Amino acid sequence: MPRPAVALRRLAALVTVLFLALSLPAAAQDQQAPDFNAWNKLADQAEQILESGSANDARLQTIRDAVVQWRERLKTAQGLNATRIATLKDQIAALGPPPAEGQTESDDIAARRKELNEQLSTLQAPGLQAVEAYGRADGIVTQIDQTIRQRQAHALIRKTSSPLNPANWGPAMAEAGHVGRQIYAEARGRWDDIGGVSGFTQRLPLIGGLLLAALLLLTRGRHWIDSLPSRLSARAGERSRAALVFGVSLGQIAIPLIGVILAAGTLVATDLFDDWGLPLLRSVPGAGLSFFGGLWLARRLFPEEGGSGQLPLPMSEAQRRQARFRATLLAMSLALHQLIARSILPLSGFNSENDTNTVPERLTEASAGVWHFLLILFGAFCLFQLTNLLRRLRPSEVSDVPDYRVRIVAFLAVIGRLIALAAPIAAAAGYVTAANAALWSSVMTLGLVGLLIVLQDFIADLYALAKGGDQSARDALMPALIGFALVLASLPLFALIWGARPSDLAEAWTRAQQGFSLGGVSLSPMAILTFVLVFAVGYFLTNFVQGAFRSSILPKTRLDGGGQNAVVSIIGYVGLALAAVFAITAAGINLTSLAFVAGALSVGIGFGMQQVVSNFVSGIILLVERPIAVGDWIEVGGQQGIVKKMAVRATQIQTFDRTDVIVPNSNLITQPVTNWTRGSLQGRIIVPITVGVGSDGRRVAALLREIAEDQPTVLVNPAPAVLLRSITPTGQNYELRAMLSDINAGASVVSEINQQILERFAAEGIVLPGISRGAQDIFLHRPEPESEPAAEEPPAATPSTPPASKPAGRAPGDAAPQEAEGHTGAEDGPAGQADRP
């Protein structure tokens, strides 16, 4: 296709997209108002039914679903004509404020104001009517929920005949036999209906195929899938073993469950079962999932010796073996309950009064209590045995299992142990529904908690695999956050286990979407999620822009390192501020209300956080004015060192003994700060020196200048200067002052100058007076040649020698000369002492 044609098609597509985008708001405004007459009719009927109390739960649920649909429609209708209403309000506002009492305005303006107000009232009427109807619908839904919950609570606490009464045992056996006979009679009757052997022969290929597939999956397939994790554990690599074995082990649920479903499908395919047999067959998938899922969970929570991965709970091999067996029995008891309880027996637990897919004639409550009591005894015994083992769990120092996990399991085991003891007692007293609800909900709660533990370990294994097999990555932050999110996502499942209906969860979500008000600011889960997502996008974009400036743009400018860091920091603060503003706007949070809340909090900020705010403002001033920068040598508050990092609240300084000092930014603004290297690295050193009184001062000054000029970092302009500061009875006090091109090397230069002073003054015979052995003077002189006699008399003392001094003809090592000491006005420096010019 030619390029112009392609460009034309793209242009047409762009115009179409723009047209659709612009037409969406108009389409939203063109929506029709709901039929309020039909709604009022439904609302009147619902209120009459609720007042009469004659409807059963199924009827109430049907009415509730219809009212909820109307409520959503009415909520949408509250925004009818919103664009036109906003336009009219702007037009009315443009006319100016209405005249006060006793004042008038021109007839044209008054007529126009009246016309616009009438239009506004007409357009607002459907929305106001929808608001009123929405409130009525919400009230009806709330009333229905309250009615259903009251009935559920009444059913739980209702007392029936005790199953320990021997008078109920015979009828219980007879009614169970009656159900069995009805199922047999139904199959016998439908055998004749399908044509007997000939009809069965026609279905034989389908029945045989389903039965063969079920047998293969339940025998060979189950055996193969059970042995597959151990074989993969031996062949897989160390990094992928745990995650791979977990994924494959899910087949231990799927393969046998599919086999059981196919077996039930085989019986359904015979067409021998109808009202009496099909309810039992429909219960098979749920019961199979409970049994095989419980069996898989027991193997994962309490693995055999030599299994791959980390142990989910700190238990010995003997304890795991016992727990695995008891958990399997508990799963079997739950499967039996789900197979026959809701299809044949009433009083089976939460919401049992609304059971569907049951046999035409379930057992009576007295007879059902007997069979429920036997199931409860079996389940309570298995639960007690398992929880009695789990309640002894304690955190182990040799295990990497998190302590919180062990404590939660142990706590739930204690609660489950009490329920295992209380449930049979309650059932024996006649509270069969409550006993069933408490016992089997506790069993499923333990199972769900175990599933969360296994999934958290699987997530940690996947994260470690993604990190290259590093097992230390299991304890990283990301797996912990995902595990926490998994726990939050499972909360609705816990609610369903303990009697909540799906409509209850839907209503809770609706209430949550409406949000809550905090200081005039409306917050909801979607608003919070929107805020987090938009702010996260803004945060990552800010980091991207900062990285681009830091690595690509700023290095090409003439800014120094400190200036570049300042620009990057300012970009970060501005980007985060913009991200916060955009996130607040996208979340639909009213900035006016937010400003009101911020104003209310400003009083507390002014008193309790004034230092934090002061440091923040000072940090902004430092980044803008840049009196100091990263890498500068500064002195503030008695501390000096190199600036390593500048943040909004504080500045980090590394002293010359390699310790970090955190200086609040307000100190850098309010206190005197000495910056040794800002703008220029040049600095002055001062080296004091004292010589004997009788020394040649001109020669001393010349030697000091020569020594200073020999240093490579000493500047020629200004030239080094030697000053005779004072003359005392002990000597002449000089100062050598020199400017260095890099003051950071001041200490090494001072050291080298002192070394040169010792060598040059000794060669010239210049005295450096000191105190040693009775305040005697020390003379520096040339070393005597080795050929001269050792007993030669020392040179005569100089006039500066005190009368009581001894001759200076001692060996050079008898007394150490006084070391010349340089100073700078600062006690220390990065490499020496220096004085700024």
Side-chain angles (χ1 to χ4, degrees):
M1 182 179 292
R3 291 186 177 182
V6 175
L8 185 60
R9 290 186 60 183
R10 292 179 179 177
L11 180 60
L14 179 60
V15 171
T16 303
V17 171
L18 290 176
F19 175 79
L20 292 175
L22 293 175
S23 63
L24 284 177
Q29 295 301 321
D30 292 340
Q31 60 181 342
Q32 298 295 326
D35 187 356
F36 290 104
N37 293 328
W39 155 245
N40 290 328
K41 183 178 179 180
L42 175 63
D44 292 338
Q45 294 177 354
E47 290 173 348
Q48 291 176 2
I49 291 174
L50 287 172
E51 290 178 1
S52 64
S54 59
N56 57 16
D57 290 351
R59 175 60 176 163
L60 289 179
Q61 187 63 41
T62 302
I63 296 174
R64 185 188 185 281
D65 294 339
V67 174
V68 167
Q69 293 179 1
W70 269 102
R71 186 177 63 176
E72 294 300 322
R73 198 181 309 169
L74 294 171
K75 182 179 180 180
T76 305
Q78 294 178 10
L80 284 172
N81 306 318
T83 304
R84 181 59 180 154
I85 290 173
T87 303
L88 286 174
K89 288 182 177 180
D90 292 339
Q91 290 177 312
I92 294 174
L95 296 177
E101 186 177 356
Q103 297 179 354
T104 60
E105 60 182 354
S106 64
D107 295 340
D108 294 340
I109 296 178
R112 181 59 177 168
R113 188 187 304 275
K114 180 180 178 181
E115 179 184 358
L116 292 177
N117 282 325
E118 290 176 353
Q119 295 179 13
L120 181 62
S121 299
T122 303
L123 291 175
Q124 286 179 336
L128 295 176
Q129 194 173 0
V131 172
E132 179 185 359
Y134 177 86
R136 187 181 183 185
D138 193 62
I140 293 174
V141 170
T142 302
Q143 189 174 357
I144 292 175
D145 288 340
Q146 290 177 352
T147 302
I148 294 177
R149 281 194 292 267
Q150 289 175 358
R151 292 181 179 180
Q152 184 182 19
H154 178 72
L156 285 176
I157 63 176
R158 189 166 62 89
K159 183 179 180 181
T160 58
S161 178
S162 173
L164 297 182
N165 187 357
N168 297 326
W169 299 352
M173 297 294 294
E175 291 180 14
H178 173 70
V179 172
R181 288 192 297 272
Q182 289 294 333
I183 295 175
Y184 174 77
E186 180 183 66
R188 185 67 179 268
R190 293 185 64 84
W191 174 267
D192 296 335
D193 294 340
I194 65 175
V197 176
S198 60
F200 183 80
T201 304
Q202 294 177 357
R203 294 176 174 82
L204 187 59
L206 176 61
I207 296 174
L210 292 176
L211 182 61
L212 180 60
L215 291 176
L216 288 176
L217 290 176
L218 289 174
T219 55
R220 302 297 301 175
R222 185 173 180 273
H223 173 73
W224 180 78
I225 202 68
D226 286 346
S227 61
L228 186 58
S230 59
R231 287 184 289 172
L232 286 177
S233 179
R235 297 181 181 180
E238 185 67 27
R239 298 193 306 177
S240 59
R241 180 179 302 168
L244 183 61
V245 169
F246 176 87
V248 173
S249 68
L250 293 176
Q252 296 174 348
I253 303 176
I255 297 300
L257 180 60
I258 294 174
V260 169
I261 293 175
L262 290 178
T266 302
L267 296 177
V268 173
T270 61
D271 203 18
L272 297 177
F273 303 98
D274 195 6
D275 293 340
W276 286 92
L278 287 181
L280 277 174
L281 295 178
R282 294 191 187 103
S283 301
V284 169
L289 179 62
S290 297
F291 176 71
F292 294 113
L295 185 62
W296 171 83
L297 191 59
R299 293 177 178 179
R300 298 300 303 178
L301 282 175
F302 317 111
E304 297 179 355
E305 187 70 25
S308 61
Q310 177 180 302
L311 293 177
L313 296 172
M315 303 175 69
S316 64
E317 170 60 23
Q319 291 175 330
R320 295 199 304 274
R321 183 171 59 254
Q322 294 178 5
R324 189 165 55 248
F325 175 72
R326 296 173 184 180
T328 302
L329 290 180
L330 186 60
M332 184 184 300
S333 66
L334 178 62
L336 287 175
H337 169 76
Q338 292 183 339
L339 180 63
I340 64 175
R342 294 193 179 275
S343 59
I344 299 176
L345 305 177
L347 310 177
S348 56
F350 291 112
N351 302 314
S352 58
E353 65 277 8
N354 298 321
D355 286 339
T356 57
N357 295 324
T358 64
V359 296
E361 297 180 11
R362 292 195 294 180
L363 273 63
T364 61
E365 292 184 350
S367 299
V370 175
W371 293 104
H372 275 307
F373 184 72
L374 296 177
L375 291 175
I376 290 173
L377 279 180
F378 180 41
F381 173 77
C382 298
L383 179 62
F384 181 85
Q385 292 294 324
L386 179 61
T387 54
N388 195 43
L389 185 63
L390 295 178
R391 72 184 180 90
R392 303 191 184 99
L393 290 178
R394 295 294 182 272
S396 176
E397 297 181 356
V398 298
S399 176
D400 295 333
V401 178
D403 293 348
Y404 74 88
R405 176 187 298 180
V406 178
R407 293 191 180 95
I408 290 175
V409 172
F411 173 76
L412 291 178
V414 172
I415 302 299
R417 189 166 178 260
L418 295 177
I419 293 176
L421 293 174
I425 297 175
Y431 298 100
V432 179
T433 304
N436 274 316
L439 177 64
W440 303 117
S441 296
S442 300
V443 173
M444 288 187 284
T445 298
L446 281 178
L448 184 54
V449 171
L451 179 61
L452 291 176
I453 292 174
V454 172
L455 290 179
Q456 286 180 345
D457 287 344
F458 173 62
I459 291 171
D461 290 333
L462 280 182
Y463 188 78
L465 179 62
K467 287 294 184 179
D470 185 8
Q471 293 301 314
S472 62
R474 290 175 52 90
D475 300 327
L477 177 62
M478 185 57 66
L481 292 178
I482 298 176
F484 180 72
L486 194 65
V487 172
L488 293 180
S490 67
L491 293 180
L493 297 179
F494 284 106
L496 291 174
I497 287 174
W498 287 95
R501 295 173 294 122
S503 59
D504 294 332
L505 299 181
E507 186 66 18
W509 176 247
T510 301
R511 300 294 182 185
Q513 284 182 315
Q514 295 177 357
F516 59 92
S517 180
L518 178 63
V521 178
S522 297
L523 298 177
S524 65
M526 291 305 299
I528 296 174
L529 181 61
T530 302
F531 176 86
V532 171
L533 292 178
V534 175
F535 184 80
V537 172
Y539 176 79
F540 286 116
L541 287 178
T542 301
N543 285 343
F544 174 77
V545 174
Q546 282 182 301
F549 270 80
R550 185 185 295 111
S551 59
S552 302
I553 299 176
L554 293 178
K556 299 177 182 179
T557 64
R558 297 182 179 180
L559 289 175
D560 56 5
Q564 294 179 14
N565 289 330
V567 172
V568 171
S569 299
I570 292 175
I571 291 175
Y573 301 140
V574 172
L576 291 180
L578 292 177
V581 172
F582 288 144
I584 291 173
T585 305
I589 300 175
N590 190 353
L591 293 178
T592 304
S593 302
L594 193 63
F596 176 78
V597 175
L601 294 177
S602 62
V603 178
I605 293 175
F607 286 100
M609 301 181 64
Q610 54 183 348
Q611 291 298 329
V612 176
V613 176
S614 175
N615 290 328
F616 180 84
V617 175
S618 300
I620 298 298
I621 294 174
L622 291 174
L623 290 176
V624 174
E625 295 185 354
R626 297 181 58 226
I628 62 174
V630 175
D632 286 354
W633 168 19
I634 67 171
E635 179 182 3
V636 57
Q639 299 285 344
Q640 62 173 307
I642 305 299
V643 178
K644 290 298 182 182
K645 182 180 179 182
M646 296 183 65
V648 177
R649 189 192 66 84
T651 297
Q652 179 181 343
I653 299 175
Q654 187 179 74
T655 63
F656 303 120
D657 56 1
R658 294 298 186 265
T659 59
D660 291 334
V661 178
I662 307 301
V663 181
N665 287 333
S666 59
N667 292 357
L668 299 176
I669 297 296
T670 59
Q671 296 183 7
V673 179
T674 303
N675 195 328
W676 298 98
T677 57
R678 185 61 174 171
S680 174
L681 296 178
Q682 295 180 5
R684 183 178 65 179
I685 61 172
I686 300 176
V687 181
I689 184 69
T690 300
V691 299
V693 176
S695 300
D696 184 356
R698 301 295 181 182
R699 183 57 182 164
V700 170
L703 286 175
L704 290 175
R705 277 191 294 269
E706 291 177 4
I707 292 173
E709 292 171 353
D710 289 342
Q711 303 303 315
T713 58
V714 172
L715 297 177
V716 178
N717 185 20
V722 179
L723 304 178
L724 177 59
R725 302 303 300 267
S726 63
I727 301 175
T728 64
T730 59
Q732 304 174 23
N733 299 316
Y734 290 87
E735 280 186 358
L736 170 60
R737 298 186 177 187
M739 293 295 297
L740 301 183
S741 60
D742 187 358
I743 194 60
N744 290 314
S748 59
V749 173
V750 170
S751 176
E752 181 62 26
I753 289 176
N754 284 329
Q755 293 288 343
Q756 293 291 332
I757 288 173
L758 289 176
E759 296 175 0
R760 299 287 295 274
F761 279 27
E764 295 290 338
I766 298 175
V767 178
L768 296 178
I771 301 176
S772 177
R773 294 187 182 181
Q776 65 181 1
D777 287 345
I778 303 171
F779 293 86
L780 297 179
H781 54 83
R782 292 189 182 92
E784 298 294 340
E786 295 181 359
S787 59
E788 296 182 359
E792 183 179 354
E793 292 292 329
T798 64
S800 63
T801 303
S805 63
K806 296 182 180 180
R810 58 175 58 196
D814 288 359
Q818 179 179 343
E819 185 176 349
E821 182 177 353
H823 84 94
T824 66
E827 294 299 327
D828 203 354
Q833 302 160 342
D835 205 13
R836 297 296 295 175

